[in-house]
Amino acid sequence: MSRIVYINGEYVPEEEARVSVFDRGFLFADGVYEVTSVLDGKLIDFAGHAARLERSLGEIEMASPVSGEELAEVFRELVRRNALTEGMVYLQITRGADRDRDFDCPVPELVPPTVLAFTQTKNVVGNPAAKTGISVITIDDLRWARRDIKTVQLLYPVLGKKMAKDQGKDDAWMVEDGVVTEGTSNNACIVREGRIITRDLSEKILHGITRKAVLAFAREAQMKVEERPFTVDEAKEADEAFITSASTFVMPVIEIDGARIGDGKPGPVATRLREIYVEESRKSAI
Ligand code: PMP
C-alpha cells in the first residue's frame, strides 16, 4: 500500500502527488515547515507546532492558508489513512508556484500557497540511540541570522550532518562567537552540577517545541534550569549533554569533538527527562 499524502486540499497516493517546477519552495526555499511527532496514533504538542507555524508564516509575510483546526484535521486524517502509530507528520507551506522564476513575491490572490503534508514512520520512543547516546562534532554556525523562522532553507544543516557522518559521528552542534547556538536540527543542552543549561531564546536559534516542553517538565520536577549561552569547553566538561527535537525527544550526547561527556553513557538527568517527556506527551496527545 502506498503512502497517502496531502497536497493542496487533496489526499493522494505519494506517486500521484505533484508540485510545479516553478514552486518557490523548490526554486528559492521560500517556505516554512513543521515536524510534529506521533505516538499511539496521536499528535504530540500539536498546539505548539501550530502556533510556531503561524509565527513563521507571519515573519515571512505570508497569510496562513489553513487554520489550526483544519491543520489538526489534516494531520489526523493522514495518520488515520496511513495507519501510523509512531513517527512524524511533516508539513510544508511555500509561497506557491508562479508562471516563471521571479524573485518578486507573487500576489497571493493570484498564486495560492502550496500546502503539503506527509507521514513518516519512526521508532521514536524505542530509538536504540537513546540507550547508547550520540556523538557530535562542533562546526561554525554559518546559517543566516533569522534561525527563529522555521524555513525549508536547510542546506547548512544538511552539510553539517554530512560533516559529522564523514567523521563517523552522529550530528553537529553549531558554534558562533565562541558559544554553542544549537544542533543542526535540534536544541543543545548540557547538565552541570544538576543544573540544565541551554541557549536562551533569540533570533539565533529555533524556538524548539520540545525544548520548551522539556524545560517546563524539568522545572516542575524541581530541577534548576539556566537559559544562557555556553562554550564548547563548558560543554566538554559537563556532567551530561543532550539534544531535544520532535523527532528525537530527549537524546543523550556522550561525546563532543572526541571528548567523552561524563562517563560516556547517557546520564541520569537526560534519561529521566526522556522518560518524563514520553509519559507526559502520551497523556496530552490529541
Ligand atoms: N533547532 C533546529 C535548527 C531545528 O531544525 C529543530 C527541529 N526542526 C529544533 C531546533 C528542534 O525543534 P522542535 O523541538 O520543535 O522539533
Side-chain angles (χ1 to χ4, degrees):
M1 192 186 84
S2 75
R3 172 166 40 182
I4 301 297
V5 308
Y6 173 89
I7 176 96
N8 299 329
E10 288 186 82
Y11 295 91
V12 296
E14 60 179 74
E15 304 79 24
E16 290 169 29
R18 293 281 175 272
V19 177
S20 163
V21 294
F22 297 112
D23 194 275
R24 297 178 62 88
F26 178 58
L27 296 178
F28 300 112
D30 187 1
V32 297
Y33 76 109
E34 279 298 328
V35 176
T36 305
S37 51
V38 173
L39 279 188
D40 313 320
K42 290 182 180 173
L43 307 170
I44 303 300
D45 223 331
F46 174 79
H49 290 284
R52 185 173 61 189
L53 173 71
E54 189 78 31
R55 180 176 180 279
S56 293
L57 285 167
E59 293 299 309
I60 67 164
E61 296 181 31
M62 273 185 74
S64 188
V66 277
S67 70
E69 293 85 71
E70 284 163 344
L71 203 60
E73 204 36 57
V74 169
F75 282 15
R76 287 207 185 106
E77 188 62 17
L78 279 177
V79 167
R80 197 183 64 74
R81 290 197 190 213
N82 293 289
L84 181 70
T85 50
E86 192 167 325
M88 288 98 75
V89 181
Y90 175 86
L91 167 82
Q92 176 167 326
I93 299 179
T94 77
R95 213 182 303 265
D98 211 344
R99 275 173 303 176
D100 275 315
R101 178 178 181 273
D102 184 346
F103 277 84
D104 292 345
C105 292
V107 182
E109 289 73 34
L110 298 180
V111 176
T114 302
V115 183
L116 162 72
F118 56 79
T119 53
Q120 252 173 238
T121 302
K122 185 177 173 182
N123 184 7
V124 197
V125 176
N127 186 344
K131 290 254 181 303
T132 56
I134 62 163
S135 55
V136 301
I137 59 166
T138 61
I139 59 174
D140 286 342
D141 196 336
L142 301 180
R143 297 173 301 164
W144 78 325
R146 289 300 310 275
R147 301 151 191 165
D148 56 314
I149 307 173
K150 199 165 168 60
T151 79
V152 294
Q153 177 199 315
L154 296 171
L155 178 57
Y156 194 66
V158 165
L159 294 179
K161 281 195 198 279
K162 184 174 186 306
M163 285 184 243
K165 295 285 151 73
D166 288 349
Q167 294 180 33
K169 308 299 178 189
D170 299 304
D171 207 344
W173 279 12
M174 295 176 282
V175 179
E176 186 178 56
D177 300 330
V179 285
V180 174
T181 47
E182 58 186 332
T184 53
S185 62
N186 42 68
N187 290 112
C189 306
I190 59 171
V191 183
R192 288 175 68 111
E193 291 157 5
R195 283 168 297 123
I196 297 158
I197 303 160
T198 191
R199 186 65 188 251
D200 49 307
L201 296 179
S202 68
E203 292 180 354
K204 291 186 177 290
I205 65 167
L206 185 77
H207 301 189
I209 301 302
T210 320
R211 173 193 180 281
K212 186 178 179 186
V214 167
L215 295 189
F217 294 142
R219 286 180 172 119
E220 275 167 32
Q222 312 302 323
M223 297 182 193
K224 294 253 182 308
V225 176
E226 282 179 30
E227 294 181 64
R228 62 160 175 88
F230 59 87
T231 64
V232 176
D233 280 345
E234 198 179 358
K236 285 183 184 166
E237 289 160 11
D239 303 319
E240 294 183 41
F242 62 92
I243 55 167
T244 62
S245 78
S247 56
T248 60
F249 295 168
V250 175
M251 179 63 68
V253 170
I254 47 123
E255 189 194 295
I256 300 172
D257 285 340
R260 201 171 72 166
I261 306 305
D263 60 2
K265 295 196 193 84
V269 174
T271 304
R272 182 72 195 119
L273 284 175
R274 185 176 174 86
E275 282 165 8
I276 298 176
Y277 182 80
V278 171
E279 206 177 294
E280 294 299 321
S281 299
R282 279 196 202 279
K283 278 191 222 159
S284 57
I286 62 161

